[in-house]
């Protein structure tokens, strides 16, 4: 039933504590380097998780070998394990390979000339063929009734934060990581435009290279989003949840939540809806609804922050028959 990304289930603090100290030190140095060149916090978080997966596998299946001594045959076994035993998709395996490649490049370009333990090191990841890409997921296309039913079910179950997050995804069209970067101040009444129909928010960091990414003012359709925002804010007030972030991290209110939470919430949405509910499907829904409402392509492009119209074809989930009918109606 579920369209599902295989989640990391092999690491734990206990296992990571057993990783060879030299490998742990190498990982920390590499992550420090990423911070020094301004990589985004979320990117560094992803790199660390990917490296932990490899080093725990290396601990359990490869005698805790030092990274600089890992061979091509070892990496082939790791790749085989990811696909055949851990159930990862080709796309996920390619991402994990890319992290190891980045670490290898760092060693080759920065460390090898200065540390005798890494003397002569050369990256070997690219010498191993990556798994072929393939379509592994069924696309989910939502109706308005399904979205409304899902949101109302979350409210009825007192899951106010999840309902607010889902409503924001649906009525802004932002990516799952971007949704966590909204602050409460984004939804002050002073940010309403178009006779109160849209929130035009202060800039948030969207997809883009570097620590600050691409800074964009974003649009949120106000009326359908407002009830779920209000319900979440009422809950926060009742339980004294104070943070500038709309979705604060419970362990540290000065920070927002991370993508791992969104993945967990998507599983909840799937269970309620009875069909796969991955967060990116709501971005498709948002774009499609704006086009169905008759907004010009140029307006939709502006709202999503795209540089051209090419992405419209990707995110427009309307069947061809709907588009033909709409186009003919405009002619006569």
């Amino acid at each position: 039933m579920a369209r599902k990304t295989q989640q990391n289930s092999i690491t734990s603090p206990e296992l990571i504590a057993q990783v060879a100290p030299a490998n742990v030190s190498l990982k920390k140095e590499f992550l420090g380097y990423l911070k020094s060149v301004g990589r985004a916090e979320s990117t560094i978080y992803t790199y660390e998780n990917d490296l932990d997966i490899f080093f725990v596998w290396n601990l359990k299946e490869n005698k805790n070998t030092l990274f600089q001594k890992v061979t091509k045959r070892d990496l082939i076994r790791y790749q085989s394990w990811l696909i055949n035993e851990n159930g990862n998709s080709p796309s996920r395996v390619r991402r994990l390979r890319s992290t190891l490649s980045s670490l290898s490049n760092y060693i080759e370009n920065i460390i090898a000339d200065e540390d005798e333990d890494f003397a002569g090191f050369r990256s070997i990841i690219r010498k191993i063929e990556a798994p072929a890409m393939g379509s592994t997921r069924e696309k989910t296309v939502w109706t308005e009734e399904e979205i409304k039913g899902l949101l109302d079910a979350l409210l009825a179950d007192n899951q106010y934060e999840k309902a607010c997050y889902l409503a924001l995804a649906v009525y802004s069209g932002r990516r799952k990581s971007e949704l966590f970067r909204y602050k409460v101040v984004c939804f002050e009444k002073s940010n309403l435009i178009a006779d109160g129909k849209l929130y035009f928010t202060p800039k948030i960091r969207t997809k883009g290279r570097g620590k600050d990414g691409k800074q964009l003012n974003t649009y949120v359709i106000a009326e359908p989003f407002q009830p779920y925002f209000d319900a979440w804010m009422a809950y926060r007030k009742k339980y004294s949840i104070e943070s500038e972030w709309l979705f604060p991290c419970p362990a540290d209110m000065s920070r927002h939540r991370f993508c791992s939470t969104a993945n967990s919430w998507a599983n909840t949405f799937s269970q309620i809806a009875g069909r796969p509910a991955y967060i990116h499907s709501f971005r498709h829904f948002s774009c499609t609804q704006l086009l169905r409402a008759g907004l010009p392509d140029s307006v939709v492009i502006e709202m999503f922050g795209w540089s051209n119209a090419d992405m419209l074809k990707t995110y427009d989930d309307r069947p061809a028959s709907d588009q033909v009918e709409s186009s003919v109606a405009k002619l006569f």
Side-chain angles (χ1 to χ4, degrees):
M1 184 275 290
R3 167 180 159 149
K4 191 173 183 182
T5 296
Q6 181 70 21
Q7 301 297 317
N8 166 24
S9 60
I10 70 162
T11 66
S12 68
E14 294 74 20
L15 286 169
I16 293 172
Q18 298 175 49
V19 171
N23 284 338
V24 173
S25 179
L26 176 63
K27 181 188 78 172
K28 289 181 178 179
E29 181 179 342
F30 176 57
L31 297 177
Y33 166 75
L34 295 177
K35 292 179 182 178
S36 76
V37 296
R39 293 295 178 87
E41 183 180 3
S42 57
T43 299
I44 295 171
Y45 177 82
T46 298
Y47 271 84
E48 182 171 16
N49 283 344
D50 289 353
L51 291 174
D52 284 342
I53 293 172
F54 172 76
F55 283 129
V56 168
W57 172 86
N58 186 58
L59 164 72
K60 297 169 69 176
E61 306 290 341
N62 201 39
K63 301 179 182 179
N64 222 0
T65 300
L66 296 181
F67 186 78
Q68 63 267 35
K69 297 185 180 298
V70 170
T71 68
K72 292 190 287 289
R73 295 171 72 182
D74 295 334
L75 292 172
I76 290 170
R77 289 194 298 113
Y78 174 58
Q79 184 167 294
S80 177
W81 177 85
L82 288 171
I83 295 172
N84 298 312
E85 296 185 43
N86 206 41
N88 293 116
S89 68
S91 177
R92 172 69 168 150
V93 174
R94 283 171 173 260
R95 221 283 304 286
L96 290 163
R97 281 170 49 99
S98 177
T99 296
L100 294 183
S101 181
S102 295
L103 174 59
S104 297
N105 290 339
Y106 170 71
I107 296 171
E108 182 175 342
N109 296 330
I110 305 296
I111 301 180
D113 293 338
E114 301 179 357
D115 189 329
E116 62 182 14
D117 289 338
F118 295 90
F121 180 90
R122 293 292 181 269
S123 177
I124 58 176
I125 306 294
R126 56 183 174 271
K127 296 181 181 295
I128 300 167
E129 184 178 358
M133 291 294 289
S135 178
T136 60
R137 295 180 167 184
E138 175 187 354
K139 184 176 182 179
T140 299
V141 178
W142 298 97
T143 66
E144 290 185 76
E145 292 74 18
E146 288 173 320
I147 293 293
K148 186 68 165 58
L150 180 51
L151 285 166
D152 289 348
L154 289 167
L155 280 192
D157 198 33
N158 301 323
Q159 299 189 63
Y160 302 113
E161 185 177 16
K162 294 175 185 175
C164 184
Y165 178 85
L166 175 58
L168 184 57
V170 168
Y171 298 116
S172 73
R174 305 317 308 175
R175 301 173 182 87
K176 67 178 176 181
S177 60
E178 296 167 359
L179 296 167
F180 286 134
R181 297 173 191 150
Y182 282 94
K183 297 180 178 181
V184 175
V185 71
C186 291
F187 303 103
E188 292 182 348
K189 299 302 181 185
S190 59
N191 291 326
L192 286 169
I193 62 172
D195 295 326
K197 293 182 172 62
L198 286 174
Y199 281 108
F200 183 62
T201 74
K203 289 182 178 180
I204 67 166
R205 182 169 65 81
T206 61
K207 187 176 181 181
R209 190 174 180 84
K211 182 178 181 180
D212 295 328
K214 182 180 180 182
Q215 299 289 323
L216 283 180
N217 299 101
T218 66
Y219 298 87
V220 181
I221 302 174
E223 184 177 355
F225 168 69
Q226 197 69 47
Y228 306 101
F229 173 80
D230 291 343
W232 171 227
M233 294 309 295
Y235 180 91
R236 285 178 51 146
K237 182 177 180 180
K238 180 178 180 180
Y239 291 99
S240 301
I241 300 174
E242 297 181 1
S243 173
E244 65 174 339
W245 299 105
L246 183 56
F247 306 109
C249 178
D252 182 356
M253 291 292 174
S254 68
R255 306 176 72 186
H256 59 67
R257 291 185 180 272
F258 290 97
C259 283
S260 55
T261 298
N263 294 335
S264 173
W265 289 355
N267 290 334
T268 299
F269 303 155
S270 295
Q271 291 168 7
I272 294 173
R275 59 193 304 228
Y278 52 98
I279 303 302
H280 213 68
S281 65
F282 304 120
R283 183 167 165 85
H284 281 254
F285 175 84
S286 179
C287 178
T288 302
Q289 290 302 99
L290 292 173
L291 292 169
R292 277 203 173 108
L295 269 69
D297 290 358
S298 59
V299 174
V300 178
I301 291 168
E302 167 68 22
M303 293 180 70
F304 275 74
W306 293 324
S307 58
N308 55 59
D310 293 345
M311 297 301 291
L312 284 176
K313 296 178 182 178
T314 300
Y315 284 91
D316 185 358
D317 286 341
R318 293 175 298 173
S321 57
D322 283 8
Q323 297 182 52
V324 170
E325 182 178 346
S326 176
S327 298
V328 171
K330 293 177 182 178
L331 289 174
F332 301 100

